[in-house]
Amino acid sequence: MNEWAYTAAFFIFAAVTVASAVGVVTKNDLVHSSLLLALCFVGVSGLYVLLQADFLAAVQLLVYNGAIAIVFVLGTMLTRRSIRHGTNHSEADAPSRLIGLISGLFVAVTLGVIATTPWNYSSAGAVQDTPAVLGRLILTDYMIAMEVAAVLLLAAMIGAIVLAKGVDEE
Amino acid sequence: MNIALLTSEIAVLVLGLLIIIFDVLIPRQETHRSLGYIAACGVLAILVHSMTQYGAAATVYQGLFVVDNLALFFKQLFLAATFLTLLFSVEYVEKWIQNSGEFYALLLFALLGMMVMASANDLITMFIGMELMAIVFYALVGFELRSKKSSEAGMKYLMLGAASSAIMLYGMSWVYGFTGSLVLSQIAVKATASPAMLLGMGLMLAGLCFKLSIVPFHMWAPDVYEGAPTPITAMLAMGSKAAAFAVLIRVFLIAFSDLQEYWATIVSLLAAASMIVGIVVAIWQTNIKRMLAYSSIAQAGYILSGLLAGNVAGVKGMLFYAVLYMFATAGAFAVSTAVKNHNGSDEIEGFSGLAQKSPLLAVVMTISLLSMAGLPPMAGFVGKLYLFTAIADKGYLWLVILGFVMSMISVYYYMLVVKTMYSKARDQQEFVVRGSLQVVAVISLLASLFIGIYPGPLAKLANFAAQALW
């Protein structure tokens, strides 16, 4: 019963993720696309829960849904309210058909690779109390990566401010 | 854990932060030229300090960050490139860029990213270092706010760069999924030629080739090189490329060394395509930065071919060539900067009569271009010789012949620029060159000639650094 519920949950979350991801690409309206993107993130965080990565799932919900998707919708609302319709062009012209073909090929290759690879399954059980372990890892083994990420954010902020401020007209 | 190994990186970061603080302290109407000199002096001091770190091969934090001779060699290359760029950019920044303090500080952060890449021994540290460098460059490419071309170039670089980073990250996730490890040496232990591993390796190669502007991932390079402020174009050609090579060498010769039979063919084709496209298309360029962009595509092809040897001689050739290319690029872009400061254009036409107005700069440009073409007695000749002998030993004779023919063709378009410089001047305006730019020009000239005539010391150092991998 437990196994069955687990499988069912996996397929539900997977279907939600894939369907909303397809919607993001095909929808004609930018706001619809971004809301579907938020739904896609929810699906992914559901998959994380099934993998027993509870902390990652929470972060995914908080950061991607709570911040990124919302900022995206707000940004669209504030900038192009009047001409919102058709902001996300997807006419069935030749380039997009070509892109569809390439993406389809890529999906086919990926599925083929997944099917033919002899995967090594990890025998280690799920980690209990993930935040503590993650915190310790980030501040010990991965400390340099974390510090560099901090510098990255500072640099990105400086660059963004300079570019957004524009030219002083003197 | 030994924090002392990180002193160079910490010093660069502190220097960048100091520049930001000084920028705020200097009154708005005063000149901010001094910031460029402070940054250059600081970088020079760190370069001298890093000499003391040779010989000690040590790792920090479970081997995720390694300081060995190879990493140190690349770090010194980045430091030298940044030092030269800072020196010749002072006047350019004063003239064309409004936010000079931020410009210098961001350049130092990009340097930090490159240094982290050179030392990274696992995929996460490597990726974060690469992103730090890339994000800084996205901003810096668009820093010339009054120029539409610069903004367009920044936008293009951001879009394509983000896509390439995503591709590379996806490749890393495949590799991690199959091997269960992010550390390069452990990946090497668990890597087998399974489909998942090969897919991950291919995606990572594509992402890295974008940074290296290897054909067919080169489409961004001409536009971005043309639009970016000239000192940033120079850093993209010297620094960003060398940093990507540092990562490429470590990833492909440590983590994927057992899979060499799978990547060797692809790498040889990529290198050949870069040489052909870079050199043939460069012939028709009329803008000096576009011409140098195509030339840098070809040079990346030459350096990439060294990977095929897969031994000390090949890596030594790559390191040697990266250094001489750094000096030649610094010289060529310093002169381009001087010309742009003089008449505000990047066209090759603008170089006409340079030999009369400033004989020194004309000579520097000639030597730099001929060094890139690989004519003796300039450094480029020796560099190509090392690369070609290394790969010819491994049976890539066709690539050697192709590279040789292509470098002969490249002499043609480099000579076009030289011809323009030695033609009659169009205007009689006096040509003023700042002292610091002349210093860079002279350093580049002497280095290109010295390495070409007496390659021994640098070759020995490159050999010493290359041995760190085996």
Side-chain angles (χ1 to χ4, degrees):
Chain A
M1 179 64 200
N2 199 8
E3 188 77 3
W4 186 82
Y6 187 86
T7 316
F10 171 79
F11 279 107
I12 290 169
F13 281 126
V16 167
T17 310
V18 172
S20 53
V22 170
V24 172
V25 183
T26 51
K27 277 288 169 192
N28 215 1
D29 190 322
L30 207 51
V31 173
H32 293 178
S33 279
S34 50
L35 290 176
L36 279 170
L37 192 63
L39 187 61
C40 179
F41 290 147
V42 174
V44 172
S45 69
L47 292 176
Y48 286 152
V49 172
L50 293 182
L51 289 169
Q52 306 189 357
D54 44 2
F55 182 70
L56 190 59
V59 169
Q60 167 86 10
L61 276 181
L62 273 176
V63 175
Y64 284 87
N65 285 8
I68 294 178
I70 299 302
V71 168
F72 202 84
V73 173
L74 274 179
T76 325
M77 267 166 55
L78 291 176
T79 49
R80 26 178 76 203
R81 197 167 29 171
S82 52
I83 43 163
R84 206 177 43 147
H85 192 73
T87 37
N88 199 8
H89 286 290
S90 58
E91 299 123 68
D93 48 358
S96 84
R97 220 173 271 170
L98 184 71
I99 291 167
L101 188 73
I102 293 173
S103 311
L105 260 179
F106 188 74
V107 171
V109 168
T110 314
L111 290 177
V113 167
I114 294 175
T116 51
T117 301
W119 295 98
N120 312 313
Y121 294 99
S122 167
S123 53
V127 180
Q128 301 299 323
D129 190 21
T130 37
V133 178
L134 277 177
R136 209 168 295 127
L137 270 180
I138 285 177
L139 287 176
T140 53
D141 290 2
Y142 291 95
M143 195 200 82
I144 292 176
M146 193 202 66
E147 296 291 347
V148 175
V151 180
L152 192 156
L153 290 179
L154 174 69
M157 196 168 69
I158 294 173
I161 290 173
V162 169
L163 294 182
K165 227 173 69 180
V167 194
D168 281 356
E169 302 296 346
E170 281 156 25
Chain B
M1 139 185 170
N2 185 0
I3 288 287
L5 289 170
L6 285 161
T7 39
S8 317
E9 282 81 2
I10 295 173
V12 169
L13 176 61
V14 171
L15 187 64
L17 296 175
L18 280 179
I19 297 283
I20 295 178
I21 295 171
F22 288 155
D23 182 44
V24 181
L25 293 181
I26 299 174
R28 232 161 189 271
Q29 53 279 17
E30 298 286 320
T31 170
H32 286 219
R33 202 183 307 152
S34 54
L35 292 177
Y37 293 121
I38 294 174
C41 291
V43 170
L44 185 64
I46 297 166
L47 177 63
V48 171
H49 164 76
S50 66
M51 298 282 179
T52 61
Q53 291 185 313
Y54 266 111
T59 58
V60 192
Y61 296 114
Q62 321 262 343
L64 300 189
F65 190 89
V66 57
V67 182
D68 55 8
N69 294 335
L70 182 71
L72 216 57
F73 187 92
F74 270 111
K75 280 181 200 177
Q76 293 190 328
L77 172 70
F78 307 145
L79 285 163
T82 314
F83 172 68
L84 295 175
T85 308
L86 283 167
L87 272 190
F88 77 71
S89 64
V90 172
E91 196 190 355
Y92 186 97
V93 171
E94 220 180 357
K95 210 165 178 176
W96 307 98
I97 285 170
Q98 249 180 355
N99 308 75
S100 49
E102 287 85 355
F103 180 88
Y104 296 127
L106 285 181
L107 202 55
L108 291 175
F109 290 151
L111 170 64
L112 178 67
M114 293 174 205
M115 290 168 78
V116 171
M117 283 164 80
S119 271
N121 201 26
D122 75 304
L123 298 180
I124 289 199
T125 314
M126 183 192 110
F127 183 74
I128 296 262
M130 185 176 271
E131 279 306 283
L132 173 59
M133 177 190 84
I135 284 180
V136 169
F137 277 131
Y138 302 151
L140 282 177
V141 166
F143 237 59
E144 220 175 296
L145 294 170
R146 288 201 190 85
S147 146
K148 270 188 189 157
K149 261 189 185 170
S150 170
S151 307
E152 185 197 329
M155 205 67 194
K156 269 187 190 160
Y157 195 34
L158 171 67
M159 295 287 180
L160 295 172
S164 85
S165 293
I167 288 173
M168 196 163 88
L169 202 56
Y170 191 53
M172 286 177 184
S173 74
W174 278 97
V175 171
Y176 177 67
F178 185 75
T179 60
S181 175
L182 286 166
V183 183
L184 299 183
S185 47
Q186 287 174 25
I187 293 175
V189 173
K190 290 175 192 153
T192 52
S194 66
M197 195 69 196
L198 295 180
L199 179 68
M201 191 174 76
L203 291 170
M204 280 176 71
L205 183 64
L208 280 170
C209 281
F210 173 87
K211 290 273 179 295
L212 295 168
S213 68
I214 292 286
V215 175
F217 308 101
H218 68 290
M219 294 83 76
W220 60 278
D223 289 347
V224 171
Y225 276 42
E226 186 190 350
T230 313
I232 298 307
T233 313
M235 273 311 276
L236 281 176
M238 305 188 276
S240 148
K241 236 169 231 200
F245 272 119
V247 166
L248 189 81
I249 288 173
R250 257 190 220 285
V251 170
F252 278 80
L253 293 182
I254 294 182
F256 300 149
S257 60
D258 291 341
L259 304 174
Q260 193 173 1
E261 52 180 312
Y262 294 93
W263 54 257
T265 321
I266 299 170
V267 167
S268 69
L269 291 177
L270 289 173
S274 302
M275 290 178 197
I276 296 172
V277 173
I279 281 167
V280 172
V281 183
I283 296 175
W284 286 280
Q285 303 305 321
T286 56
N287 181 301
I288 186 77
K289 277 152 94 183
R290 278 189 97 81
M291 192 276 269
L292 287 170
Y294 279 107
S295 141
S296 89
I297 292 171
Q299 306 292 340
Y302 282 111
I303 304 181
L304 183 66
S305 68
L307 192 69
L308 292 168
N311 56 16
V312 175
V315 175
K316 171 190 149 194
M318 294 172 83
L319 298 180
F320 189 93
Y321 204 96
V323 171
L324 73 91
Y325 178 62
M326 188 267 286
F327 281 118
T329 313
F333 278 104
V335 178
S336 312
T337 309
V339 172
K340 162 123 191 197
N341 287 339
H342 175 62
N343 58 18
S345 105
D346 291 326
E347 297 301 308
I348 293 179
E349 281 295 304
F351 282 74
S352 61
L354 188 67
Q356 293 162 15
K357 292 183 206 159
S358 174
L360 170 73
L361 291 190
V363 169
V364 171
M365 190 75 177
T366 311
I367 297 290
S368 298
L369 291 180
L370 293 184
S371 178
M372 286 184 202
L375 283 192
M378 267 63 82
F381 173 71
V382 192
K384 284 195 175 124
L385 203 66
Y386 284 138
L387 279 175
F388 288 165
T389 45
I391 58 171
D393 283 351
K394 294 277 169 174
Y396 289 97
L397 205 60
W398 64 273
L399 197 58
V400 173
I401 294 168
L402 179 76
F404 184 73
V405 171
M406 282 298 150
S407 70
M408 284 303 108
I409 297 175
S410 74
V411 175
Y412 168 73
Y413 67 79
Y414 289 130
M415 285 314 277
L416 284 182
V417 180
V418 176
K419 195 184 124 213
T420 317
M421 284 194 298
Y422 284 87
S423 65
K424 226 173 146 244
R426 288 250 194 94
D427 53 62
Q428 294 306 318
Q429 278 176 358
E430 206 187 338
F431 198 91
V432 202
V433 185
R434 201 178 277 282
S436 57
L437 198 150
Q438 265 171 339
V439 171
V440 176
V442 170
I443 291 177
S444 138
L445 176 73
L446 292 181
S448 288
L449 285 175
F450 179 79
I451 298 174
I453 295 166
Y454 191 54
L458 180 62
K460 217 185 250 174
L461 187 63
N463 201 26
F464 185 56
Q467 277 163 353
L469 278 180
W470 282 277

